[in-house]
Amino acid sequence: MLPAIGYGLRPDNRSVIDEPAWTGVEINFQEASNPLRPVPYLHGSSFAYASLHTLDLSVASPEPPSRSYLDALVAVAQENGAVAITDHLGFNHGEPGGNSVGHVTAPGWTPAALDATCRNIDFIQRRFGGLLFYLENLAHFFVFRGTMSEADFLGRVLEKTGCGLLLDVTNVHANAMNFGHDPRAFIDEVIGRASRVQMHLAGGFVESRTQRYIDSHSEPIPEAVWDLYRHALTVGRGKVDAVFIERDWNAPDEMGWRREIRRVRQVALEVEGQP
């Protein structure tokens, strides 16, 4: 099964929307939900697969997100023909509408956090109805003390809730670089415990002062991430619904956009044994 291949839609890449390799699209909720927008975000564009990405579900908070926020997500997904909604395994506030920590932060990998996360995801999925929900792994600035590994925590969430996995391959690479994790072991475990998968690919850089890898979405996808992507596709054969490239800064020229997405598709074809 060849996954849908696409970009997170940005103003800078709309010019290559005619690229044949681009078959799926990821929509940013914060852009698509602008109340001054007179038409749906994908107006005039057609894709085989569309997914809506958001940042504020805060699934690891003690309380679930508000019904009004969930309803807004559903409305934007439906008006753009999206079949899925995605967010991160983490929290950015303690309560709906509360002060934000400024970035999605992973919880401690503890039984209490696991219970809260699963309870919230069950609530979210009931509100989403027929729309699929996928949960994304984070790149960490730090890790709270916990009683289980990140991979085991995420795997338990996937098994208990039945939600999908949004495997951010670049985040796996960043955590391997910064914390010494085994990236392939992480991929093997979480994909093995997922029923369905999306993927994110992006490029970052090593910050000169700290020597930490930053997932900046500003550079071409590095070779190490290409290798992990091929491995993830191989492990996840039959489960991968879509693969999206994230690029938010330092936009390439037209051929740069086309070259990268064509390579994403070519790797998927090779893994599937297609010419």
Side-chain angles (χ1 to χ4, degrees):
M1 179 185 74
L2 194 69
I5 305 292
Y7 277 107
L9 186 61
R10 305 291 189 265
D12 287 329
N13 59 28
R14 280 184 180 268
S15 62
V16 296
I17 213 165
D18 63 339
E19 168 58 47
W22 190 348
T23 60
V25 68
E26 184 178 74
I27 306 163
N28 184 305
F29 173 70
Q30 282 67 30
E31 295 178 7
S33 62
N34 186 335
L36 300 180
R37 184 179 301 282
V39 295
Y41 193 63
L42 291 185
H43 180 70
S45 302
S46 178
F47 293 94
Y49 183 101
S51 185
L52 181 69
H53 189 55
T54 189
L55 300 171
D56 290 319
L57 283 174
S58 201
V59 300
S61 292
E63 300 296 329
S66 68
R67 288 177 172 83
S68 61
Y69 184 66
L70 297 178
D71 290 346
L73 288 167
V74 170
V76 171
Q78 290 177 339
E79 74 177 12
N80 287 283
V83 298
I85 300 173
T86 66
D87 202 341
H88 304 80
L89 172 53
F91 65 93
N92 42 27
H93 53 254
E95 59 185 6
N99 291 332
S100 173
V101 298
H103 189 275
V104 184
T105 301
W109 311 124
T110 66
L114 178 66
D115 289 345
T117 300
C118 292
R119 183 173 62 248
N120 290 340
I121 292 175
D122 286 342
F123 176 80
I124 289 165
Q125 291 189 127
R126 286 195 299 271
R127 201 72 180 182
F128 283 172
L131 292 166
L132 300 174
F133 179 58
Y134 293 75
L135 195 62
E136 180 179 1
N137 57 295
L138 286 165
H140 307 301
F141 294 113
F142 59 89
V143 179
F144 289 112
R145 183 177 299 170
T147 58
M148 62 189 85
S149 70
E150 177 185 7
D152 187 36
F153 186 101
L154 178 52
R156 293 189 194 198
V157 171
L158 298 173
E159 292 169 344
K160 286 176 179 288
T161 67
C163 76
L165 167 67
L166 172 48
L167 178 70
D168 192 310
V169 182
T170 303
N171 287 351
V172 176
H173 171 64
N175 291 337
M177 293 276 289
N178 296 337
F179 296 97
H181 298 167
D182 182 337
R184 292 194 174 214
F186 181 91
I187 288 170
D188 291 351
E189 180 165 357
V190 296
I191 288 184
R193 298 169 78 171
S195 59
R196 57 186 180 272
V197 179
Q198 290 185 9
M199 293 187 198
H200 273 170
L201 305 173
F205 65 93
V206 175
E207 203 274 326
S208 59
R209 183 178 62 85
T210 63
Q211 290 300 297
R212 290 209 164 192
Y213 189 88
I214 306 297
D215 175 34
S216 60
H217 301 179
S218 64
E219 309 299 327
I221 299 166
E223 288 302 318
V225 172
W226 285 114
D227 290 343
L228 291 176
Y229 166 55
R230 183 183 294 273
H231 177 74
L233 284 177
T234 302
V235 173
R237 285 188 68 176
K239 293 184 178 182
V240 184
D241 297 325
V243 182
F244 299 117
I245 304 171
E246 299 180 291
R247 187 71 178 259
D248 296 308
W249 313 101
N250 296 336
D253 60 18
E254 178 180 339
M255 281 311 302
W257 286 115
R258 294 184 188 275
R259 189 180 304 112
E260 200 158 52
I261 199 168
R262 289 172 185 174
R263 185 173 178 184
V264 173
R265 178 176 172 80
Q266 183 58 40
V267 173
L269 286 169
E270 291 169 2
V271 170
E272 289 297 315
Q274 300 182 33

